[in-house]
Amino acid sequence: MDRNAKLPETEGGTILFNTDPIIIKHHYEVDYLHSYAQDSPFFVGLTKGKLMGSHCTGCGRRYATPRGHCMECGEPTEWVEIPGEGRVHTFTTCHFGGEAFLKETPFTLVMVEFDGVDTLFLSRLIGAKPEEVKIGMPIRARFLRNCKFKPTDVYFVPM
Amino acid sequence: MRPVYMVSGGITKFAKALPQTDFRRMVKDAFDYALADLPGLSRDRIDGSVCSYFSDHFTRQLMAGAMVQDYLGLNPKPSRRVEGGGATGGLCFQSAWESVASGRMEVCLAMGFETMGRVNTWKGNEFIALASDTNFDYPVGGFYTGYYAMMVNRHMHEFGTTVEQMAKVAIKNHLNAVYNPYAQRPGRLTVEDVRAALMVAEPLTILDCCQMSDGAAVAILASEEMAQKLGGTPVRVTGVGSGTDAMRMADRPHGEVILLPHENREEYADLKYPGVHSFRGGRVAAQNAYRMAGINDPGQELDFVELHDAYTSSEIQTCEDLGLCRYGEGGSFVDSGAPFMPNLDYGLSFSGSGKWRPLPVNPSGGLLACGHPVGATGLMQAVFAFWQLQGTIEKHLKDATLQLPDPRRGLIHSHAGTGTYITVSIMERV
C-alpha cells in the first residue's frame, strides 16, 4: 500500500458562468449509429432522383411518406414511386428554428399533396418568396446530385 | 373503478430559468405547498407517486424521477415515470388517477417538473423537435413552431380563421395571467402588439407561442374514503379520456369527423378530417372523458376549461376538438367573447354573438402566459382547476380576480406533439 498516494494535477479547468448558484458549462455530444432500417429504400430512391412511397398490399392505401406496415390495416406495404409533381397542401416560412437549423433560416416548409396518394410529404420549398407561396400551388421535386442521405436531398420548386 | 378525488395541489413560480433550485428542490417546494394546504395529509399517508418529465436532455440526468422520490422522503414506496411529450403532465395525472381508481393506492402523488432553462432556447427547440420523426421530419423542419404554423395556415384556408382572432387569444391569456403570480409572462397586449412581435414561423409571432420554462407542480389524488378522512375541500375527478394520432403530421388521414353527442354528420358533410388542421386524438380524449362524466353538450355543461395553448392557434383548434364550438367556428368563438373572463376589460369589442354561453378558457393564463415546463404543465392545469372548483383562488393567488363565481365543473386538457398524445380530464365540485 502507498500511504502517500496522490492524484496528478492537470492544467484543465471548468468554464464557470456563476457562483451563486454555481453554474458550469457541461458539453454533451453523441455520435449515433442511426439506421434507417426498413425506411432505407426511400433514401436509396433519393440517390436515383425518385420519391419512393408505400402502397398497402391489404387495403390499397398509398403513403407519400413511407412506412413498412399500413397504419390503417396493419398489412405490409410495398414500395411505389410517388409522382414528382404535387401541390402545396400547407406551408410556412420559419425565421427561427432548432439550433442545428438556425443557419438555414429563413426557410419555407411545405406539406406536399399528390394525386392518387392518401398522405402528405414534408419538404422544403425554394424559388418562391414567402408571400408568393399559396395553398394549392403546383410544385415539383428536385434532387441534390451529391446525396447526403437525408430527407432534405429532395426539395420542391414552383412549377 | 372507484371514485377518485383531488385533495391538494401545489406549484412553483414558473420562470424562464430557476438556477437556484434543481428539479428535486422544485418538486419539493410544490409538494410542501400541497402538504401545508391540507393539514390532515402527512407524508406517510401517501402510498406512492408518479413522476412526469419530458426530456432527459433537459435534465442531463437519467432516472431523475427516482431522485425526486428520495428527495421527497418517499422511499421505499412505489414510484414510476410517465412520459408523453407535451402531454406528460396530463398522462401523469391520469396515471395517478388509475392507481387510486384501481384500488392499488389510497393516496397517490402526481409530481412533475421540467428544467428547460438549462440550455439556450434554440437548443431547447432542437430537443423538443426530436419529439418528431427523426428520419423524415426533424431533419427537414427541426422546429415545432414550424409544424404548428403549417397547421394553422391550413386551418385558415379551410375555415377563414384570422391572425387577429389568434392575437385575441394571446391578449386573453396574457391579461388573465396579470392576476396570477405564478405566471411567467403576464401582460397587457393589443392585436397590434401581437402582430408586430418577432415573427417565428409565419403566421405565428413570438407572442403566439409559449416560452421555455423551469417549474414544478404536484397534484395529490385520493380515494373517497381517504378524501373524507383527510378533510379539506376535495374535488372529484369524474372523467378521464385520452387519444393519440400518428407522429408524422403528413400521415394524418382525410376522412370523416368523429362526432360528439351534440353534433351530427350533416354539418360536416364537406370536411376532410382531421387533416392537418384538427386533432382527432383530442376529439377522442374528449369523447371518452365526456362519456365517463355524463356530459352531452360540453359548451353548456362545463364552467371553465384549462387547455394546452402552446400556440394561440392550438387553443382555437382545441376548442373545436373539445366541442366548445363546431369545427371551423374556433375563430368566431374567440370573436364572440365567450372564452374571455367576464370581469376583465381586455380592450377588445366582441361580436356579441349569443351563439355561445360564456365559458372561460384558460382563466389561469394558460401555457402562453404561465409558461410550459413540460412535465409540470398538465399538473399546473389540475392545480388551477382544483383551486377554481374549491373557490380558493384568492387564497392561493393572493387576488380574487380570476375566481369564477360558482364553478361546478371544469376540464383540463394536455397535448403532445402535433396532437400525438392528448388527455382530457373532468373535475367537479362535490
Side-chain angles (χ1 to χ4, degrees), chain B residues 64 96 104 138 207 210 310 414:
Chain B
R104 186 178 173 199
Y138 170 77
L207 292 173
C210 68
S414 196

Side-chain angles (χ1 to χ4, degrees), chain B residues 67-267:
Chain B
M67 294 174 72
V68 176
Q69 180 80 353
D70 77 46
Y71 200 80
L72 265 50
L74 293 174
N75 292 150
K77 295 171 180 181
S79 186
R80 64 188 178 276
R81 175 201 186 170
V82 297
E83 189 278 313
T88 296
L91 291 166
C92 177
F93 183 81
Q94 295 193 350
S95 183
W97 179 90
E98 284 155 12
S99 292
V100 175
S102 64
R104 186 178 173 199
M105 293 184 192
E106 292 301 316
V107 181
C108 184
L109 167 68
M111 54 187 190
F113 68 85
E114 210 73 45
T115 48
M116 308 171 86
R118 267 56 170 177
V119 295
N120 70 49
T121 296
W122 311 117
K123 183 55 87 178
N125 272 306
E126 196 175 297
F127 288 169
I128 293 166
L130 287 169
S132 62
D133 187 312
T134 54
N135 280 6
F136 291 100
D137 290 352
Y138 170 77
V140 179
F143 189 32
Y144 254 96
T145 309
Y147 304 150
Y148 275 81
M150 285 192 285
M151 279 190 274
V152 75
N153 272 331
R154 189 69 200 187
H155 197 276
M156 295 164 82
H157 175 81
E158 293 280 345
F159 304 127
T161 311
T162 66
V163 292
E164 288 77 19
Q165 289 167 335
M166 289 152 57
K168 288 177 190 174
V169 172
I171 292 168
K172 170 172 69 68
N173 296 358
H174 285 86
L175 185 69
N176 292 352
V178 166
Y179 307 95
N180 181 353
Y182 293 100
Q184 178 173 342
R185 188 178 66 182
R188 291 174 190 278
L189 304 175
T190 63
V191 170
E192 294 71 35
D193 291 336
V194 179
R195 293 318 301 162
L198 201 62
M199 186 58 74
V200 181
E202 295 175 28
L204 299 171
T205 73
I206 201 161
L207 292 173
D208 285 303
C209 309
C210 68
Q211 293 183 293
M212 306 269 172
S213 312
D214 279 5
V218 308
I220 302 175
L221 304 186
S223 64
E224 187 163 276
E225 188 192 345
M226 192 56 85
Q228 281 168 357
K229 204 176 287 181
L230 294 173
T233 312
V235 163
R236 186 165 166 186
V237 184
T238 54
V240 293
S242 64
T244 57
D245 211 333
M247 178 67 129
R248 298 192 300 235
M249 219 163 62
D251 290 349
R252 305 290 163 83
H254 290 77
E256 287 196 332
V257 175
I258 299 165
L259 299 175
L260 291 175
H262 69 291
E263 295 178 322
N264 59 63
R265 181 69 57 211
E266 290 70 46
E267 59 193 306

